[in-house]
Amino acid sequence: MSKTEDTAFAIISAAGDGRAKIAQAMKQARRGNFGEAEDCLKEADEYLLKAHKIQTEELLQKEANDELKGPFNVLVAHAQDYVMTGMAMKEMAVEIVNLYTQLRAK
């Protein structure tokens, strides 16, 4: 396995862990466990930040410096999609948790 593929898998792993925490946050909010939901969202942030950092340092900066060699790698594209969708999920989850909180308060 190449260094680029190792990097892609590291990104996918961190982003996937973040996405799992986001799903857990929404489930906790649905149950009325808002403190736990917020904790899950904070953990999701940590995982997504880790994925984004790896993506930036190991792919984007190296690509900008013309250090990445080889053909297009679909695994890298998948990894970048995972980060992007995880970040979008996080934004939506924050709104969903807020909605559950407001509904529960009524």
Side-chain angles (χ1 to χ4, degrees):
M1 190 174 316
S2 74
K3 170 76 170 138
T4 302
E5 289 172 336
D6 287 342
T7 298
F9 279 121
I11 293 167
I12 291 166
S13 177
D17 288 343
R19 289 167 52 132
K21 284 294 178 182
I22 292 164
Q24 188 177 356
M26 289 188 288
K27 184 182 287 186
Q28 291 300 329
R30 186 173 56 245
R31 293 177 178 164
N33 301 326
F34 302 114
E36 290 179 36
E38 290 297 329
D39 289 345
C40 288
L41 290 174
K42 286 178 187 172
E43 288 181 62
D45 271 340
E46 292 172 15
Y47 286 119
L48 292 173
L49 181 62
K50 177 181 177 181
H52 188 263
K53 185 177 178 181
I54 296 168
Q55 177 185 27
T56 301
E57 292 175 358
E58 297 298 325
L59 295 177
L60 301 178
Q61 287 178 351
K62 288 183 179 181
E63 177 68 24
N65 294 332
D66 200 30
E67 296 173 13
L68 281 182
K69 303 297 178 200
F72 173 78
N73 188 320
V74 72
L75 193 57
V76 170
H78 177 63
Q80 291 177 313
D81 284 345
Y82 235 60
V83 174
M84 181 187 68
T85 58
M87 290 177 167
M89 284 178 65
K90 167 68 174 35
E91 291 175 22
M92 295 305 299
V94 167
E95 292 303 317
I96 290 168
V97 170
N98 286 334
L99 285 172
Y100 277 123
T101 302
Q102 289 175 14
L103 288 172
R104 198 54 82 107
K106 291 184 177 188

